[in-house]
Amino acid sequence: MNKNNYEILAPAGSFEALEAGVKAGCNAVYLGGEKFSARSKAHNFSNEDLKKAVEYAHLRNVKIYVTINILIDDTEMREAIKFTEYLYKIGVDAIIVQDLGFSLFARKLFRGMEIHASTQMAINNLYGAKTVEAFGFERVVLARETELSEIELIKEQTDLDIEGFVHGALCVCFSGECLMSSMIGARSGNRGDCAQPCRKKYEILDLDFNKVADEKYLISPKDLNTISSVKQLIDRGIYSLKIEGRMKKPEYVYQIVSSYKKAIEDEVNSEDKNNVKQIFNRGFTNGLFNGDFGRDFISYDRPDNRGVLIGEVISKTKSTYILLLNDKVNIGDGLEFNYNGNSIGLKSDFNSGNLKEYKFKTDKKIIVGSKIYKTSSKELLDSINFKLNESASYRIVNIRAEFRIDKKPVIEMECDGFVVREEIDTLVQKAQNRALDEERIRENLSKLGSTIYKAGLINIILDENIFMPKSAINELRRAAIEKLDRLFIKRDRAGIFVDNSIFNIDRKVKRSKAKLNVEINNLDDLKSLNEKKVNKIYFPIDKITDDVISYLKEKNIMLSAVFKKFQNSKQLVESFDILKNNFHLFDEVLLNNLSQISLLNGIDIVKVADIGLNAFNSYSVKCLLEMGFDRVILSPELNNRQIKVISKNFADKIEVISHGLIPVMTMVHCPMSVELNCKDTKNCIKCKYSRGFYLKDGKGEKFLVERDRETSQIFNCHPIMLAEKVKNYMSMGIENYKLNLREDIDESVNLYSDILSGKSFNSDIIKDKLVKKYGAVTNGHYNRGILNGQSV
């Protein structure tokens, strides 16, 4: 663990943004290569750019972290490891990872480089942190929803560095668990290609499809801003203060980094805070961890940059408008005139000076009463760019030089623990005319303006009456600086050998008959289920009530306990206690979060990896089985081709979701809280909409939302129905098939039971019912997948 108090971690989507972060005073930068990055639309860095970035940053005492934070396909694993080997060799300080199979490969191979668990790994509590610590990771990047008390627990009970987001755009869904963009249009956040459906408008309908609320941006979060509380986050245990923004411009990076640095050093003022707002904002939230909820968290009126409110249009005569201003406008400023959500944007062609009322002519049709926002400030951008063009020093160097007649001149430089010694072949001569004095030598040795160094102590030893050409002294200084540069750029790492045999999986599949597993959510559905036709019954662990227990005992039924995707430590332990207290009722558990691996370690019960663990390739399946899992439910983002590859070695140990609604978002936020103006989660249990409601998008698609305690789940608008595809999976030898059932339980079980038994079947009745309710059924990713349009 680092001994320093904090690290400011800046984003970089381009080399210019990297430079901006460093010049603003960051301690580390995170960026992505041309592949394997969760910001595929950013400019990103070629291999050559990455090497240049490492050299630039290390010279300036800044670390470089490279994102390999997507789910990786079987066909990409060798390339991902080869890319990581390159990063290792050029001195990258750490990689940020999501994919479980890749992560454990990387940890085993690249011991000299830190591995950081990405926020895409969805770690939000102590037990999740303990899991990745056991994997050998050095740092955990916490989910943005992580509670402050959990941060303190992780600090106290692990040796991990803790990284947390402090500023910028927020995902409304727990990162790594959002499938909404993927299921709607095959653009997956888990592949860095999210289409941001959270930034769209939605209506609210009740369960009978009656309209409850008009269109708003109900799941579009404000931007996080903790500039007033960042020191408290450090005190809680956040070491690395992460700024979101790899899609942002260099000016944004500079402003945010410099302002947070000032805040930590108690130097931030109102102008800095206003500049933070001016550079970009969707409105600001203090974050869920600071108690914001509902309208305090969601930018429900608009999803984009709103700038700073500077005035109002108070009157109009023909094409002349009177603007009432509380801030000056300069030529080149971006302005927006907004009236009840209708906006007109333009670039200013005037200077208002200090006038409070300004006459403004335009042919644009602006409504009197419009609010005036400054969406960009030419003055601020010019100020930032001036600073970006200034030279800066980052390291103090102490110099000792010796000049003896008829000997080679010698220079020693000491900087941040490194000492270099250099000499040149030119001999020091006895002066024939004007001798070289100490002051002139000192002046030449101090000329470090084009380097990253600033001269500290200078100690010069010289004979009397000497002479050396100025060019020779400059050559001596430059040679020492170059040697010092190489020491800062270099990373001493043991050589590695990547044996290609590690990619070979040769496991023998044990053939057995196909099995039907069903997930249901309540006692009524349990009662309607013919348990004799199914292999396993999946049931939420936190919905085990006395009535459920009585029914299980009466019918002599055992369940598979499904753990939730997200809980804090207290809630997770409560679920664990239900398991312990009713151990005889469960024959296995389904785990949906890395935290549950740590908590259930050593518990003698069959473990199944559910979709929350994002098993996307053979290597992740292999890792999970080696951890003691009995089988693995594959990611619903896999297509037929990918599943076929995995099935070659693991057909008897994998499970495919074949029917039902897929959860596409899991979040703390409740969309209904925006409409009802809820201030917290205290009334969630009593809320009449707790049974569910629908979000309706602009295309008329309806997404079911269910609120369970302090978590909401959004389900895909169309249920998956693979009745016609299951036989293909059976031909691959796949044994286990999962149904997510909310309706037509008996009919659905009978249908898929017949399919798995090889009997003739007719799926039209169920299909027609689902189409009537949901508008359509879908094959999900059976054909398309999420690999940039690759299909079967």
Side-chain angles (χ1 to χ4, degrees):
M1 175 176 275
N2 285 286
K3 295 181 180 179
N4 297 330
N5 192 31
Y6 70 88
E7 165 188 277
I8 298 178
L9 179 56
S14 66
F15 201 90
E16 292 76 17
L18 165 69
E19 292 177 311
V22 172
K23 289 188 175 183
C26 72
N27 308 101
V29 176
Y30 69 102
L31 45 85
E34 292 179 324
K35 289 187 175 182
F36 312 120
S37 169
R39 287 292 182 271
S40 64
K41 302 302 182 185
H43 181 270
N44 291 319
F45 290 71
S46 67
N47 281 5
E48 184 179 340
D49 290 336
L50 286 168
K51 186 173 186 294
K52 181 182 173 184
V54 171
E55 293 176 356
Y56 178 89
H58 284 178
L59 281 175
R60 291 156 179 82
N61 200 24
V62 171
K63 294 181 178 181
I64 292 289
Y65 309 145
V66 175
T67 56
I68 307 181
N69 55 343
I70 63 169
L71 298 180
I72 296 173
D73 183 52
D74 277 74
T75 60
E76 300 171 320
M77 193 62 72
R78 290 175 188 248
E79 184 182 1
I81 292 295
K82 185 177 180 181
F83 175 58
T84 308
E85 183 180 9
Y86 174 77
L87 301 179
Y88 181 87
K89 288 178 178 178
I90 66 173
V92 165
D93 298 280
I95 56 172
I96 306 170
V97 299
Q98 175 188 16
D99 188 273
L100 186 60
F102 167 79
S103 302
L104 298 184
F105 260 155
R107 177 68 293 162
K108 181 179 179 180
L109 291 169
F110 306 106
R111 286 287 175 182
M113 180 169 60
E114 288 190 5
I115 309 290
H116 297 175
S118 170
T119 192
Q120 292 288 115
M121 279 190 156
I123 296 167
N124 73 312
N125 62 40
L126 170 64
Y127 296 99
K130 284 185 173 182
T131 298
V132 295
E133 185 176 39
F135 289 164
F137 295 1
E138 287 80 8
R139 178 179 296 190
V140 57
V141 187
L142 293 176
R144 296 167 176 89
E145 298 83 355
T146 306
E147 297 170 11
L148 297 176
S149 57
E150 292 288 349
I151 297 171
E152 292 178 335
L153 288 173
I154 296 168
K155 179 184 179 181
E156 293 166 1
Q157 299 186 40
T158 77
D159 290 324
L160 292 167
D161 277 343
I162 303 173
E163 181 178 312
F165 284 89
V166 297
H167 194 94
L170 292 168
C171 292
V172 72
C173 176
F174 281 92
S175 295
E177 302 299 332
C178 184
L179 306 181
M180 195 163 183
S181 174
S182 167
M183 298 305 292
I184 292 172
R187 291 182 55 186
S188 172
N190 282 321
R191 295 285 296 181
D193 194 29
C194 181
Q196 295 190 308
C198 54
R199 302 296 183 190
K200 304 297 184 183
K201 281 185 175 181
Y202 296 90
E203 293 180 0
I204 297 180
L205 310 178
D206 65 19
L207 291 177
D208 295 318
F209 302 122
N210 299 308
K211 184 175 177 179
V212 175
D214 292 334
E215 277 191 339
K216 295 185 183 70
Y217 297 96
L218 296 167
I219 54 175
S220 177
K222 296 178 180 179
D223 287 350
L224 180 63
N225 183 341
T226 66
I227 198 164
S228 297
S229 60
V230 66
K231 292 186 71 176
Q232 286 75 30
L233 293 177
I234 295 171
D235 292 340
R236 294 275 190 170
I238 298 291
Y239 167 71
S240 183
L241 309 165
K242 189 167 195 171
I243 295 166
E244 183 278 335
R246 282 198 284 150
M247 300 291 287
K248 298 290 198 306
K249 294 180 179 179
E251 294 86 353
Y252 173 90
V253 176
Y254 183 92
Q255 182 61 60
I256 304 303
V257 170
S258 59
S259 293
Y260 272 83
K261 187 172 180 64
K262 286 183 178 181
I264 295 166
E265 296 171 354
D266 291 323
E267 295 177 358
V268 71
N269 56 36
S270 59
E271 182 181 0
D272 296 313
K273 292 181 179 180
N274 189 66
N275 288 343
V276 165
K277 186 177 183 180
Q278 179 66 79
I279 202 71
F280 189 93
N281 80 89
R282 294 182 178 89
F284 284 134
T285 172
N286 294 313
L288 293 166
F289 52 79
N290 276 322
D292 278 3
F293 190 71
R295 296 180 187 179
D296 291 333
F297 180 66
I298 293 295
S299 179
Y300 58 88
D301 56 341
R302 60 185 300 174
D304 52 359
N305 180 33
R306 61 186 61 202
V308 176
L309 179 64
I310 62 166
E312 183 178 352
V313 180
I314 59 174
S315 66
K316 171 189 177 183
T317 303
K318 294 184 179 180
S319 61
T320 300
Y321 296 84
I322 303 299
L323 313 183
L324 181 63
L325 301 173
N326 56 40
D327 192 10
K328 62 182 177 181
V329 175
N330 295 313
I331 293 174
D333 286 348
L335 298 179
E336 179 183 277
F337 298 84
N338 191 294
Y339 188 85
N340 291 338
N342 299 309
S343 64
I344 292 175
L346 54 83
K347 184 168 287 188
S348 168
D349 61 358
F350 65 91
N351 289 323
S352 68
N354 294 319
L355 292 175
K356 297 300 181 185
E357 291 190 12
Y358 186 84
K359 291 183 178 180
F360 169 59
K361 281 191 173 185
T362 180
D363 293 332
K364 293 183 179 291
K365 305 300 181 183
I366 299 174
I367 301 173
V368 173
S370 293
K371 303 296 184 184
I372 307 170
Y373 294 85
K374 186 187 293 186
T375 54
S376 68
S377 167
K378 180 73 162 44
E379 182 178 28
L380 175 60
L381 294 176
D382 286 347
S383 172
I384 293 172
N385 282 304
F386 177 79
K387 295 169 185 175
L388 289 175
N389 288 323
E390 288 183 318
S391 59
S393 300
Y394 299 88
R395 298 180 184 269
I396 302 295
V397 60
N398 297 319
I399 303 171
R400 180 184 180 278
E402 188 170 331
F403 299 87
R404 301 289 189 180
I405 293 175
D406 294 331
K407 293 185 178 181
K408 294 178 181 179
V410 176
I411 189 170
E412 286 185 356
M413 289 188 174
E414 181 276 324
C415 182
D416 293 340
F418 286 117
V419 178
V420 297
R421 186 178 186 277
E422 190 60 83
E423 59 183 32
I424 57 175
D425 290 335
T426 304
L427 298 179
V428 179
Q429 302 172 22
K430 188 176 181 64
Q432 300 298 316
N433 296 306
R434 184 183 176 188
L436 187 64
D437 60 26
E438 181 178 336
E439 191 58 34
R440 289 169 62 194
I441 295 174
R442 183 181 300 275
E443 181 182 347
N444 273 20
L445 295 181
S446 300
K447 290 181 178 179
L448 303 171
S450 61
T451 73
I452 56 99
Y453 304 98
K454 181 179 180 180
L457 298 175
I458 300 178
N459 181 23
I460 299 172
I461 301 170
L462 72 163
D463 289 341
E464 293 184 359
N465 202 31
I466 67 166
F467 172 76
M468 276 205 77
K470 180 179 178 181
S471 60
I473 299 174
N474 291 340
E475 180 187 349
L476 183 68
R477 182 193 69 238
R478 282 195 296 268
I481 287 293
E482 288 173 2
K483 186 178 284 188
L484 198 56
D485 283 352
R486 288 195 293 273
L487 289 175
F488 285 121
I489 292 171
K490 183 182 178 183
R491 284 291 183 268
D492 291 324
R493 286 175 171 165
I496 58 169
F497 171 69
V498 178
D499 186 349
N500 284 330
S501 66
I502 66 173
F503 300 106
N504 297 331
I505 301 174
D506 188 20
R507 179 183 175 275
K508 188 175 181 180
V509 174
K510 299 177 181 178
R511 294 281 179 171
S512 182
K513 67 176 183 178
K515 303 177 182 69
L516 185 61
N517 305 317
V518 174
E519 180 165 340
I520 52 178
N521 295 279
N522 55 62
L523 179 57
D524 289 340
D525 289 348
L526 178 61
K527 288 179 177 180
S528 68
L529 178 68
N530 183 351
E531 70 274 6
K532 294 179 181 179
K533 287 197 171 185
V534 301
N535 175 52
K536 299 291 182 183
I537 303 172
Y538 300 156
F539 199 89
I541 184 72
D542 55 308
K543 291 187 178 180
I544 300 296
T545 62
D546 291 341
D547 289 342
V548 172
I549 293 170
S550 297
Y551 182 78
L552 294 174
K553 289 179 178 178
E554 176 190 340
K555 295 292 185 179
N556 194 26
I557 298 173
M558 296 190 76
L559 298 179
S560 302
V562 181
F563 278 76
K564 297 179 72 170
K565 287 183 179 177
F566 295 97
Q567 295 170 292
N568 60 31
S569 291
K570 181 182 177 182
Q571 293 165 342
L572 180 55
V573 170
E574 288 173 356
S575 295
F576 181 60
D577 287 342
I578 295 173
L579 176 69
K580 288 193 301 181
N581 295 335
N582 301 280
F583 205 73
H584 60 289
L585 299 177
F586 304 107
D587 55 3
E588 63 182 13
V589 291
L590 275 69
L591 307 188
N592 270 297
N593 189 281
L594 291 175
S595 60
Q596 294 145 16
I597 294 176
S598 171
L599 185 63
L600 272 72
N601 185 36
I603 303 300
D604 186 19
I605 191 168
V606 174
K607 299 180 180 70
V608 180
D610 206 349
I611 63 171
L613 294 182
N614 276 327
F616 194 74
N617 55 60
S618 299
Y619 304 97
S620 292
V621 173
K622 181 174 183 287
C623 286
L624 288 165
L625 295 178
E626 289 174 350
M627 288 179 201
F629 284 85
D630 178 71
R631 65 184 183 278
V632 178
I633 302 174
L634 295 180
S635 164
E637 294 193 287
L638 292 167
N639 66 20
N640 180 47
R641 177 194 63 77
Q642 293 171 290
I643 291 174
K644 186 175 183 178
V645 170
I646 297 172
S647 70
K648 288 178 182 178
N649 292 290
F650 302 108
D652 55 333
K653 290 294 183 179
I654 58 177
E655 186 166 331
V656 178
I657 299 177
S658 305
H659 188 90
L661 288 175
I662 299 293
V664 293
M665 278 194 186
T666 305
M667 55 191 179
V668 173
H669 169 62
C670 174
M672 186 63 76
S673 69
V674 176
E675 175 64 19
L676 300 180
N677 198 17
C678 305
K679 300 301 182 184
D680 51 43
T681 62
K682 292 178 181 177
N683 293 317
C684 287
I685 295 176
K686 301 176 184 177
C687 180
K688 68 177 182 178
Y689 296 104
S690 60
R691 288 180 54 247
F693 54 91
Y694 288 92
L695 295 181
K696 180 182 175 183
D697 70 10
K699 295 181 179 180
E701 302 289 6
K702 298 180 284 291
F703 299 83
L704 176 65
V705 183
E706 292 183 346
R707 182 78 177 169
D708 183 14
R709 296 181 69 176
E710 296 179 2
T711 305
S712 303
Q713 281 205 106
I714 301 178
F715 294 85
N716 194 29
C717 51
H718 302 142
I720 282 178
M721 186 172 181
L722 297 182
E724 307 294 335
K725 311 294 183 182
V726 165
K727 283 190 175 181
N728 181 46
Y729 285 141
M730 292 175 69
S731 70
M732 299 176 192
I734 296 174
E735 288 184 17
N736 287 279
Y737 299 87
K738 180 183 177 185
L739 312 182
N740 293 345
L741 296 183
R742 278 179 160 70
E743 57 246 315
D744 307 317
I745 291 174
D746 192 45
E747 299 96 319
S748 299
V749 167
N750 289 337
L751 169 64
Y752 284 89
S753 179
D754 287 346
I755 294 171
L756 297 186
S757 300
K759 299 178 182 178
S760 60
F761 65 93
N762 184 348
S763 61
D764 291 342
I765 296 174
I766 294 176
K767 183 177 181 180
D768 289 345
K769 284 185 177 182
L770 293 175
V771 169
K772 184 177 180 180
K773 181 171 182 179
Y774 296 102
V777 295
T778 175
N779 290 327
H781 282 296
Y782 182 89
N783 291 314
R784 60 186 181 180
I786 59 173
L787 299 181
N788 299 320
Q790 288 186 22
S791 58
V792 180

